[in-house]
Amino acid sequence: MNFEHCMRCTICVENCPVFRVNPAFPGPKQAGPDAQRFRSKREKAVDEWVLLCSQCKRCEMSCPSGVEPAQIILEAQQRFGAEHPHTPAHLLFANNYYLSALGSLTAPVANRVAATATGRKIFNAFGIATSIPFPPFRFRKLSREKKTRSRSGRKVAFFYGCFINFYRPDIGRKIIRLLQYFGIDVVLPPQWCCGLPALGNGNLSLARSFALKNAASLSNYVDAGYDILYSCTSCGLCLLHDYQRILDVPQAKKIAERTFDLHEYLLRLINDGDIEPAFTEVRRALAYHIPCHLRALKIGYPAVKLLERIPGLSCAVLDDSCCGLSGSYGFKKSNEATAMELGRRAVYRISKTGAEAIVADCGSCRMQLGALSELEAFDPVEILCESLNICAPKTG
Amino acid sequence: MIEYDVIVIGAGVAGFTAGADLAGKGYKVAVVTTGEPTVCLSTGCIDLCAGPSAREGLEALPDEHPLRRLSLADMEAALNGFKKTMDDLALTYTGGLDVNRKVLSALGSFKTTCLVPDTMAASPQTNDEAIHIVTFEGLKDFYPAYILSRFPQASFSVYDAGASTTMGIASRFEQGLFREAFVAWLEGQRIRENKIGIPAVLGLEDTQGVLREIEYHLERPVFEVPTLPPSMPGRRLFNALKAHFRNQGGDIYWSWPVAGVEKTGHLVEAVFTPTDGKPNSLNARAFILASGSFVGGGLTATRETIVENIFHLPVFVPSARAGWFEDNYFSANHAISRAGVLADSSFRPEGAGFENVFVCGGILAHAQILKFGCGNGLSLTTGYAAAKACAEYLS
Ligand SMILES: Cc1cc2nc3c(=O)[nH]c(=O)nc-3n(C[C@H](O)[C@H](O)[C@H](O)COP(=O)(O)OP(=O)(O)OC[C@H]3O[C@@H](n4cnc5c(N)ncnc54)[C@H](O)[C@@H]3O)c2cc1C
Ligand code: SF4
Ligand code: SF4
């Protein structure tokens, strides 16, 4: 479908979290299909407000006519980015991978800088918001982990993504343990940032170079009979959707045909009768914040289906609120107020459920909601492991 | 492979009603949908059948009308079930088959409806009532002058909410400080009329609470006036239907346009959606088609004919294309409004031979929603009936 299928019903606008709280953003209908009529290849892009879109994709999820406002806006963002100088914040976040790699090499120092008042001032001067704490860098990245093999026909290559790699390698290790528990071979293929942060910061060429490197690596594993698993829903969406639709990656289709969300994969094995996890009781009342990009993956909410199998667990599913952070979006000074207001609203809804802790697939959602609610925020994997009594090995 | 008992196609009034009923009976149900439904554009009122009362209107319906497939008892059960559910979710509706109520529209005219949302219950019933209309600076498509021109005893005032869209203003009404400032300003207006009308922007989540708060301070009834889309009361209803379906244990797949089906003989086995990668399909024992008419996306008009996109069911097409529309644009009688899928008394599509497919809502042929004033009510009651037939089939 293209912009001409828009029937101007404004349903997308009502679903746009940014529009709800930031009057400077005209909303998906105007920024997407409406403005598209006036965008001309011969004129320089002037619609700077397209940068206010956080690419949550809620507009696309809600449009009854199959118009893809977020996709139209994403293309406009790339054009704007190509024709205008990048701000320091956009450059930094586009290069988040390199920045984080550096941070995790020098973790103790980097964490101390990020925590100090001076550090925060430096961040602010670059247009980076500091209302919620930056995730601390971990010294030992997941990519340093050795290959782990078990004896089984099933083998997967795990695309762990930057968040797990640099900030929460412990979750990565738990995922590996969980897969091994079910007798699945896990390898960690050579990989780089998926490219989404670069894309979100208007840096198409950087995004594409990441994508090409990843695709070359993952495609080898597909050829060797591996399924690709991701656990970060935004990495997943980028691999499945943007590699084909925006980044023009030659092997994208082949990879997409073999790529699964971790929970989707486990659920399939359970439904096919291949595994039968013996979940034990977990006494927790959780609020499951559905990340926008999980919703956009069109696979339903597979982790919910897994959690439902755990005795003693109650889990309220909340899929109407965006946490506001949207990866690096909310860390930009210009978006800070939007991100904070959306975060507060999401937290309000969570608190209404009376939950004692939050669960969400996406690391940046957890960071935002955990910081604003002062509740613990888990990855679903942590709960699954708790129920199956799987402990990750200590870092060392 | 994921197995469901029932897959409902469409997240509208019809789809969620049918889905929640079946999930409530213990079946595993999923709703799949392209996007959000037509109810988000509607006033949130449940129109069942025009006339002094829905009961009288129903009697006068032509035989081919889909509401004729339902007994009055089923209709009553559907409406009562809906009222009970909504009341539990703090979205109260009043009314029933015995009298159609009037609701003042933004144009100053009345629409009539079967079930009225609580926030419109105090809407005036005659033009000589003394009402005061409040509107908001810059709010598009809401002009009190239209109402004033038909109400000799009305006046109006304008509040600057700092936002000019229904959603923007509704968002503010969810903040306590904003409400306090608004109420203080309203008290300062020294309103003489004994009812206050406000465009339907009083929040999304706890509207009844907001309304009661204003009524308490102003010491008189307050009513919402439905706006053109985007419509907050329609969205509240959508949110409540969704919450109810989920509370019953149903799954929802967003952005899941069904592109086709897999079938063997008279049974449909699965539906699938296009994806970026591996095939994405869901299978079930029964399917309910609640994909709406043209606005919802269930029907598509081509140059020559009208088609149903998913099961390729036979569609009733009223005439050749030249006869689809009358010259008068505002006519409620365009022939095209009769187009749709014909259903038999068990709400299975006629002439398709499927045993496990049921159909309900705006996609039904001869509904003529505008002419007979039967939009959300048709979807609600036929959704109920289709679920009942489907449950019979499953057991
Ligand atoms: C502007 C406006 C105002 C209205 N006001 C009123 C009113 O005041 N009172 C009243 O009673 N009625 C009103 N109506 C009519 C009423 O809203 C509709 O008749 C009713 O909501 C239809 O509901 P439905 O569930 O049958 O279909 P819809 O709400 O149209 O739902 C169709 C669903 O199916 C989905 N779908 C379609 N194709 C596919 C596919 N291939 N795969 C997956 N999903 C698909 C759509 O995404 C959608 O979720 C109004 C309508 C409009 C347009
Ligand atoms: S992607 Fe999200 S922020 Fe961007 S226009 Fe769509 S709904 Fe709004
Ligand atoms: S929801 Fe879709 S059809 Fe409606 S205004 Fe937005 S883009 Fe257009």
Side-chain angles (χ1 to χ4, degrees), chain A residues 9-11 14-15 20 62 64 240-241 244 256-257 259-260 272 295 298 301 305 319-320 345 349, chain B residues 1 34-37 41 167 171 174-175 205 230 235 242 246 251 253-256 276-278 280:
Chain A
C9 66
T10 69
I11 280 180
E14 290 180 57
N15 277 277
R20 282 196 84 172
S62 61
L240 291 170
H241 184 81
Q244 285 180 63
E257 277 162 5
T259 301
F260 300 82
D272 291 346
R295 203 169 140 151
K298 311 184 179 185
Y301 305 146
K305 309 244 90 189
D319 68 351
D320 275 336
R345 283 165 188 244
R349 290 202 176 142
Chain B
M1 179 61 83
T34 310
E36 290 187 348
L41 309 176
M167 184 59 124
S171 247
E174 278 159 19
Q175 299 159 3
E205 309 215 344
R235 179 155 294 276
K242 192 168 63 176
R246 203 166 261 150
D251 289 344
Y253 291 77
W254 301 107
S255 195
W256 216 93
D276 298 315
K278 54 195 181 298
N280 200 351

Side-chain angles (χ1 to χ4, degrees), chain A residues 186-386:
Chain A
V186 192
V187 298
L188 303 175
Q191 55 188 285
W192 294 262
C193 169
C194 66
L196 193 68
L199 209 52
N201 288 288
N203 200 332
L204 190 66
S205 58
L206 181 64
R208 189 144 195 274
S209 82
F210 279 134
L212 291 175
K213 286 201 273 187
N214 282 323
S217 165
L218 295 179
S219 138
N220 285 336
Y221 283 85
V222 170
D223 290 341
Y226 285 84
D227 287 322
I228 313 292
L229 296 195
Y230 60 85
S231 85
C232 166
T233 43
S234 297
C235 295
L237 192 63
C238 186
L239 286 175
L240 291 170
H241 184 81
D242 298 335
Y243 278 24
Q244 285 180 63
R245 295 285 305 277
I246 297 252
L247 297 169
D248 221 3
V249 173
Q251 310 93 325
K253 181 125 186 92
K254 177 173 103 185
I255 296 173
E257 277 162 5
R258 293 292 296 279
T259 301
F260 300 82
D261 166 73
L262 166 71
H263 305 288
E264 178 193 19
Y265 187 78
L266 293 179
L267 196 62
R268 275 182 189 231
L269 293 184
I270 295 178
N271 286 331
D272 291 346
D274 292 335
I275 59 174
E276 233 177 280
F279 288 116
T280 63
E281 185 174 74
V282 174
R283 291 225 152 267
R284 286 181 186 278
L286 300 174
Y288 192 146
H289 169 87
I290 302 293
C292 299
H293 287 173
L294 171 59
R295 203 169 140 151
L297 279 161
K298 311 184 179 185
I299 54 174
Y301 305 146
V304 174
K305 309 244 90 189
L306 293 175
L307 295 176
E308 274 171 2
R309 291 167 177 262
I310 300 181
L313 193 78
S314 79
C315 184
V317 177
L318 301 165
D319 68 351
D320 275 336
S321 31
C322 169
C323 78
L325 197 59
S326 290
S328 58
Y329 176 86
F331 278 119
K332 275 170 235 143
K333 216 57 203 134
S334 49
N335 298 327
E336 189 179 13
T338 304
M340 283 300 131
E341 179 57 25
L342 291 175
R344 273 193 290 273
R345 283 165 188 244
V347 165
Y348 169 70
R349 290 202 176 142
I350 289 170
S351 65
K352 277 213 300 198
T353 69
E356 296 148 12
I358 299 166
V359 55
D361 308 58
C362 167
S364 74
C365 297
R366 291 200 297 272
M367 204 151 72
Q368 166 93 334
L369 299 173
L372 294 179
S373 68
E374 295 177 8
L375 294 174
E376 252 186 304
F378 295 106
D379 189 294
V381 164
E382 295 181 90
I383 307 293
L384 296 178
C385 285
E386 181 178 345

Side-chain angles (χ1 to χ4, degrees), chain A residues 63-64, chain B residues 9-16 32-48 111 113 229 256-259 290-293 295-299 309-310 360-363 369 373-379:
Chain A
C63 172
Chain B
I9 302 162
V13 175
F16 274 137
V32 300
T33 180
T34 310
E36 290 187 348
T38 312
V39 63
C40 296
L41 309 176
S42 81
T43 61
C45 296
I46 306 291
D47 305 355
L48 180 59
K111 73 171 261 108
T113 190
W256 216 93
V258 177
S291 53
S293 72
V295 179
L299 297 175
N309 301 311
I310 299 172
C360 55
I363 194 172
I369 286 170
C374 63
N376 289 329
L378 170 88
S379 296

Side-chain angles (χ1 to χ4, degrees), chain A residues 37-285:
Chain A
R37 280 160 221 271
F38 301 102
R39 292 190 179 111
S40 143
K41 290 222 161 58
R42 279 171 293 158
E43 286 168 44
K44 198 169 164 188
V46 290
D47 43 2
E48 189 173 356
W49 34 261
V50 293
L51 300 180
L52 295 173
C53 159
S54 74
Q55 282 298 314
C56 70
K57 317 260 190 212
R58 282 187 174 264
C59 46
E60 290 185 7
M61 300 299 98
S62 61
C63 172
S65 311
V67 180
E68 297 178 317
Q71 185 78 12
I72 298 171
I73 296 170
L74 181 59
E75 281 161 27
Q77 288 176 333
Q78 304 313 311
R79 246 197 89 190
F80 192 90
E83 293 172 4
H84 295 81
H86 293 236
T87 66
H90 281 96
L91 277 175
L92 277 177
F93 284 122
N95 285 286
N96 186 39
Y97 174 76
Y98 295 119
L99 192 73
S100 304
L102 190 71
S104 84
L105 281 177
T106 58
V109 185
N111 288 335
R112 232 172 289 148
V113 173
T116 61
T118 338
R120 281 199 293 274
K121 265 193 207 133
I122 299 174
F123 278 134
N124 287 338
F126 279 112
I128 299 169
T130 49
S131 299
I132 73 161
F134 237 60
F137 296 114
R138 294 296 164 103
F139 207 28
R140 191 165 187 279
K141 298 186 295 175
L142 190 66
S143 51
R144 298 217 199 135
E145 210 72 7
K146 282 192 279 308
K147 288 187 182 177
T148 51
R149 288 188 181 264
S150 60
R151 299 197 163 274
S152 143
R154 250 170 254 112
K155 41 188 192 175
V156 300
F158 177 33
F159 189 89
Y160 40 79
C162 295
F163 190 84
I164 282 190
N165 191 29
F166 297 119
Y167 308 126
R168 292 299 303 273
D170 57 314
I171 294 181
R173 285 188 202 97
K174 278 199 173 156
I175 292 173
I176 295 169
R177 277 296 167 100
L178 181 68
L179 291 164
Q180 287 173 329
Y181 174 92
F182 293 121
I184 301 164
D185 261 9
V186 192
V187 298
L188 303 175
Q191 55 188 285
W192 294 262
C193 169
C194 66
L196 193 68
L199 209 52
N201 288 288
N203 200 332
L204 190 66
S205 58
L206 181 64
R208 189 144 195 274
S209 82
F210 279 134
L212 291 175
K213 286 201 273 187
N214 282 323
S217 165
L218 295 179
S219 138
N220 285 336
Y221 283 85
V222 170
D223 290 341
Y226 285 84
D227 287 322
I228 313 292
L229 296 195
Y230 60 85
S231 85
C232 166
T233 43
S234 297
C235 295
L237 192 63
C238 186
L239 286 175
L240 291 170
H241 184 81
D242 298 335
Y243 278 24
Q244 285 180 63
R245 295 285 305 277
I246 297 252
L247 297 169
D248 221 3
V249 173
Q251 310 93 325
K253 181 125 186 92
K254 177 173 103 185
I255 296 173
E257 277 162 5
R258 293 292 296 279
T259 301
F260 300 82
D261 166 73
L262 166 71
H263 305 288
E264 178 193 19
Y265 187 78
L266 293 179
L267 196 62
R268 275 182 189 231
L269 293 184
I270 295 178
N271 286 331
D272 291 346
D274 292 335
I275 59 174
E276 233 177 280
F279 288 116
T280 63
E281 185 174 74
V282 174
R283 291 225 152 267
R284 286 181 186 278

Side-chain angles (χ1 to χ4, degrees), chain B residues 3-7 26-29 283-287 390 394:
Chain B
E3 285 279 351
Y4 284 99
D5 292 318
V6 187
I7 285 174
Y27 294 109
K28 277 184 74 181
V29 186
N283 57 11
R285 293 160 60 204
F287 296 81
C390 180
L394 287 172

